[in-house]
Amino acid sequence: MQLEKIVNYHKALADPTRLRILLLLSEGEMNGQTLAEKLNISQPTVTHHAAKLREAALITERREKNTVYFAQNRYFIQQHAEASLHLIFKEGGKEMSEPVNENVKAAVIRNFFAKDGRLRQIPAQYKKKLIAFEHMIEQLEPGRKYPEKEINEFIKQYHDDFATIRREFIMHQFMYREDEIYELNPRELWTHWENVK
């Protein structure tokens, strides 16, 4: 749900400490201890706020031995900001039709996915196919980079034809690929089944 993603983005920003963390990270990558010292707060407090920022895909982190380094996820910060503006100025009341869309989505998931979560078959109808792929792709983590082998294993949980589905993920802009590394696109770039007649 696009509206929910945008709300979560703004919730993550709606805290002075989290905003200060993002401002400090504009200077470059920093570890938790450095952030704690600069903000005059405890390291567990930094960890708490960093988790909220990471959930909203506003920061990335990498581990080096026992030290975790944080960095701004500029791409997603910008995409969320632009999506907010687009929603407010261009989408308007269209977003209010979401309950109907949610019922359509629920019906497709119920009909095409077995109880164990596997995709019974790739839907032939374009709209239903997009819904099925969206349902799968929503299980991936925004901001995380996935090697091709990991994406293949992820898809195999749902369907054996991982090569076809992987290509469809790229074709419909659910993901982008560079040097066999896959990452989720912001939801606003996905091919939206809601717009398919």
Side-chain angles (χ1 to χ4, degrees):
M1 193 189 290
Q2 185 182 359
L3 187 62
E4 196 174 305
K5 293 268 185 189
I6 290 172
V7 168
N8 289 340
Y9 162 72
H10 287 283
K11 275 185 186 172
L13 289 178
D15 181 278
T17 303
R18 292 199 278 276
L19 268 177
R20 286 188 190 106
I21 288 171
L22 282 174
L23 290 170
L24 285 170
L25 292 178
S26 68
E27 299 168 15
E29 190 179 63
M30 287 185 197
N31 63 40
Q33 186 177 344
T34 304
L35 286 168
E37 287 166 5
K38 285 183 178 276
L39 293 167
N40 199 25
I41 57 177
S42 69
Q43 223 167 326
T45 303
V46 168
T47 303
H48 165 75
H49 287 297
K52 298 282 185 191
L53 290 168
R54 193 180 60 248
E55 282 169 25
L58 302 183
I59 63 168
T60 58
E61 62 177 55
R62 69 174 180 88
R63 187 173 290 276
E64 198 172 285
K65 294 183 181 173
N66 293 328
T67 307
V68 177
Y69 290 89
F70 303 102
Q72 279 186 356
N73 192 345
R74 292 184 179 210
Y75 178 76
F76 278 96
I77 292 170
Q78 188 171 351
Q79 290 301 315
H80 284 316
E82 287 172 4
S84 298
L85 293 173
H86 179 78
L87 179 71
I88 292 165
F89 293 123
K90 296 193 177 149
E91 292 295 314
K94 286 186 208 165
E95 199 64 37
M96 300 304 138
S97 65
E98 279 190 352
V100 173
N101 288 338
E102 288 303 308
N103 292 340
V104 170
K105 184 174 180 178
V108 170
I109 292 167
R110 195 170 50 248
N111 293 331
F112 283 90
F113 287 86
K115 285 187 179 171
D116 64 1
R118 282 187 64 80
L119 184 61
R120 291 189 179 102
Q121 66 185 61
I122 298 172
Q125 189 185 23
Y126 183 55
K127 184 173 189 165
K128 290 177 180 176
K129 180 166 71 170
L130 288 175
I131 292 171
F133 291 156
E134 180 181 286
H135 175 67
M136 292 165 63
I137 213 83
E138 284 174 338
Q139 312 313 309
L140 293 171
E141 193 180 320
R144 183 174 161 197
K145 291 179 171 26
Y146 293 90
E148 188 164 283
K149 187 177 178 184
E150 197 173 341
I151 286 296
N152 292 345
E153 291 305 314
F154 166 77
I155 295 169
K156 279 192 221 174
Q157 298 174 92
Y158 296 96
H159 198 276
D160 293 332
D161 191 356
F162 61 88
T164 296
I165 294 176
R166 193 184 66 223
R167 277 194 304 273
E168 296 266 8
F169 283 174
I170 299 298
M171 279 170 43
H172 300 297
Q173 296 192 36
F174 291 113
M175 305 192 87
Y176 67 95
R177 175 182 59 208
E178 191 174 335
D179 299 326
E180 296 190 352
I181 299 294
Y182 293 70
E183 189 172 347
L184 276 181
N185 273 322
R187 195 179 190 98
E188 296 70 41
L189 297 180
W190 298 359
T191 302
H192 292 290
W193 59 265
E194 297 94 334
N195 301 331
V196 177
K197 300 295 179 199

